[in-house]
Amino acid sequence: MPRPAFRPNRANIATFLKAPETRAVIERKTRGAERAAAAASEAEGQFRTDVETGDERVRGAVIGDYSTSDPDVSRRALLRGLDGARGQG
């Protein structure tokens, strides 16, 4: 028996992704990831956070550890930061 096709409601999804409440959650989680990554860093933990509201969605990024030139140190801290962001409400 064929499975029913999933058809997302793109208009509602776009509205949700641009909502101020969604932006607040993404910014809170992104800043939490930055704090957790800085705390977990083996170096000085100098990270940058970027939260942008685009035409279609809000997006957040934590950008690598500027206090080290070792990409493995930065990567490990960023991965720990993602784990830390899970606990942000």
Side-chain angles (χ1 to χ4, degrees), residues 22-38 47-52 58-63 78 81-82 84-86 88-89:
T22 303
R23 185 190 198 300
V25 168
I26 290 172
E27 184 162 6
R28 187 174 63 249
K29 292 283 192 177
T30 303
R31 299 230 182 261
E34 177 189 20
R35 285 190 301 275
F47 292 87
R48 302 290 183 267
T49 300
D50 179 39
V51 177
E52 177 186 327
V58 177
R59 56 189 151 246
V62 178
I63 304 160
L78 284 168
L82 291 174
R86 256 190 244 148
Q88 300 294 313

Side-chain angles (χ1 to χ4, degrees), residues 6-89:
F6 173 74
R7 297 173 69 146
N9 185 328
R10 294 189 187 279
N12 284 347
I13 292 169
T15 299
F16 170 76
L17 291 175
K18 291 192 278 186
E21 297 84 5
T22 303
R23 185 190 198 300
V25 168
I26 290 172
E27 184 162 6
R28 187 174 63 249
K29 292 283 192 177
T30 303
R31 299 230 182 261
E34 177 189 20
R35 285 190 301 275
S41 179
E42 299 162 23
E44 293 179 34
Q46 296 176 6
F47 292 87
R48 302 290 183 267
T49 300
D50 179 39
V51 177
E52 177 186 327
T53 304
D55 291 339
E56 297 180 20
R57 66 184 177 274
V58 177
R59 56 189 151 246
V62 178
I63 304 160
D65 194 342
Y66 288 95
S67 67
T68 180
S69 60
D70 187 342
D72 288 332
V73 169
S74 182
R75 180 183 56 79
R76 280 191 298 270
L78 284 168
L79 290 173
R80 289 184 194 130
L82 291 174
D83 289 339
R86 256 190 244 148
Q88 300 294 313

